[in-house]
Amino acid sequence: MYAGAAVAVDLFGHATPAGVAWLRCLGAAVVLLAWRRPSRAAWRGRRLALAIVFGLVTAGMNVLFYEAIARLPLGTAVALEFAGPVLVAALGSRTVRDVLVLVLVVCGVVAIADVRIAGSFAGVAFALAAAAAWAGYILLGKRVAVDGDGIDSLAIGFAVATVVLSPLAWGTGEVWSSPRMVLLGVGVGVLSTVVPYALDQVVLRRLGQARFAVLLALLPVTAGVMGFLLLGQVPSVPEAAGTLAVVAGVALRGREGTGRAVEPPG
């Protein structure tokens, strides 16, 4: 996912944030459809409807987040967007330990993200909308993993979302003049969408929503580790403390065992 984010940076100077998000959606749809080739049954009835809603919410989440980071410091946008998984985890909390886990991961993410009070009202609005979409992604992703066609539904969802969001392609005009940039767009789709979201389907089939939401706190930790290993970026004391808090929270949540997966409401 973070390798894909690094590739996306090269495109921001040649396309709008929403345009880059649409290229990501297009690249993911092309690769997923070529890989999975969903059966005719997957394009019918309730499973098709679920796949379409899931794809639109997920693609919308990406568009909103890209628009947010165009207006806010990255750390602030990440922390605000994380409100989505926090809400899902909070609704799934049943014990004092669950609450302690939530406090640990929230404090850890805020410390790692290096939140700064800067940016615009529009940026905050985009980030909070992305947070709501992320919560929807978790809830719908669980349904797709259990009741839908899993990765096949992911392919269908992104194919439909690419068509529905095609007006955003107007912000990608310069990209089509360079085969290299087109390839980068496909690469963003593979790295930031196909690989992580396909893995999410595997994980969501085995875990409840609340536990999965807590595990998402490992994303900023991973970013910090990659920055240290590949870029030599030494974490500050607050970032190191935040990493330890997240790891402690995830470890504490993990001790409960897999148990019965928490099903989506309804």
Side-chain angles (χ1 to χ4, degrees):
M1 183 173 288
Y2 293 111
V7 173
V9 170
D10 281 348
L11 294 173
F12 281 146
H14 307 282
T16 63
V20 175
W22 182 81
L23 284 172
R24 170 179 171 178
C25 186
L26 173 65
V30 170
V31 172
L32 283 168
L33 287 174
W35 169 31
R36 301 300 300 185
R37 297 183 182 179
S39 65
R40 290 184 180 179
W43 293 87
R44 298 174 185 157
R46 181 174 173 275
R47 290 188 174 185
L48 174 61
L50 179 60
I52 291 174
V53 175
F54 179 55
L56 289 173
V57 168
T58 305
M61 172 183 71
N62 296 331
V63 171
L64 291 166
F65 182 68
Y66 279 10
E67 290 289 351
I69 62 177
R71 294 168 174 82
L72 294 175
L74 179 60
T76 304
V78 168
L80 288 172
E81 192 193 28
F82 192 68
V86 167
L87 177 61
V88 174
L91 292 176
S93 296
R94 297 290 183 268
T95 66
V96 174
R97 184 171 69 180
D98 290 343
V99 175
L100 176 59
V101 166
L102 204 55
V103 170
L104 282 171
V105 298
V106 169
C107 291
V109 169
V110 170
I112 294 168
D114 186 24
V115 177
R116 302 171 190 172
I117 307 301
S120 67
F121 173 80
V124 172
F126 276 122
L128 291 177
W134 202 358
Y137 167 80
I138 297 171
L139 298 175
L140 290 167
K142 178 66 178 180
R143 282 201 176 279
V144 168
V146 175
D147 300 326
D149 291 301
I151 302 175
D152 286 358
S153 293
L154 189 66
I156 294 170
F158 270 98
V160 174
T162 300
V163 176
V164 172
L165 299 178
S166 58
L168 299 179
W170 286 107
T172 65
E174 188 179 337
V175 171
W176 301 103
S177 64
S178 167
R180 174 183 174 275
M181 286 192 286
V182 173
L183 186 60
L184 286 177
V186 175
V188 172
V190 172
L191 294 173
S192 290
T193 298
V194 174
V195 175
Y197 292 171
L199 289 173
D200 281 354
Q201 283 297 300
V202 175
V203 176
L204 278 165
R205 188 177 290 273
R206 292 162 171 76
L207 297 182
Q209 298 162 171
R211 194 174 180 199
F212 175 77
V214 170
L215 284 173
L216 291 175
L218 290 173
L219 290 175
V221 171
T222 304
V225 172
M226 293 296 288
F228 174 71
L229 294 177
L230 300 180
L231 303 176
Q233 297 174 342
V234 180
S236 65
V237 173
E239 289 170 343
T243 297
L244 291 176
V246 169
V247 171
V250 171
L252 188 61
R253 190 72 164 86
R255 289 183 60 191
E256 70 178 37
T258 53
R260 183 178 180 272
V262 180
E263 295 298 331

